[in-house]
Amino acid sequence: MEFWGVEVKAGMPLKVRPQVDHLIHLSQATIEAENGATGLLYVTIDWKKHVIGTLSQGRIPQISFDLVFEQEFELSHSLEKGSVHFIGYKSPNIDQEEDPSDSEEEEEEDEVE
């Protein structure tokens, strides 16, 4: 497991590509903007844009998530000025690392017993 973080500036969506056989866990977002600024947070995946939260400087300066991505995605927000900092961690995709032949052999052994 490894810490991961990015800054997404106003008007500059950011594409994120997880490494092969790795996942990105998105855990938190924090606003850095003028007092009173409010913005929607978006993630775009498979050409579909989804609202994942709202941040407001002074009232809701951060938000927690438990989102996991194994393929390319894009982070953006609706702030006209300022940034949103997204943090989380990278980890190996355990499901991808498992050798399918190992699990088949274990299943056959279980059936024989």
Side-chain angles (χ1 to χ4, degrees), residues 1 3-4 14 17 22 26 35 37 45-46 53-54 59 66 73-75 79 83 88 96:
M1 199 174 336
F3 177 80
W4 176 86
L14 180 70
R17 292 180 184 95
H22 281 72
L26 189 58
N35 218 5
I45 191 161
D46 291 333
T54 303
R59 292 186 312 152
D66 188 16
F73 61 100
E74 182 178 87
L75 295 170
L79 292 172
S83 297
Q96 296 296 321

Side-chain angles (χ1 to χ4, degrees), residues 40-106:
L40 296 173
L41 307 180
Y42 303 102
V43 65
T44 303
I45 191 161
D46 291 333
W47 300 280
K48 296 176 188 167
K49 191 172 190 175
H50 305 279
V51 176
I52 57 172
T54 303
L55 291 176
S56 176
Q57 185 66 39
R59 292 186 312 152
I60 309 168
Q62 63 187 26
I63 188 170
S64 296
F65 307 106
D66 188 16
L67 301 173
V68 179
F69 300 94
E70 63 182 350
Q71 64 187 41
E72 180 179 280
F73 61 100
E74 182 178 87
L75 295 170
S76 60
H77 55 80
S78 66
L79 292 172
E80 291 183 14
K81 293 182 181 177
S83 297
V84 174
H85 298 266
F86 292 90
I87 62 168
Y89 59 96
K90 297 187 285 187
S91 67
N93 187 348
I94 296 170
D95 291 339
Q96 296 296 321
E97 288 185 346
E98 186 177 300
D99 184 0
S101 61
D102 288 345
S103 60
E104 289 174 14
E105 289 173 10
E106 287 174 13

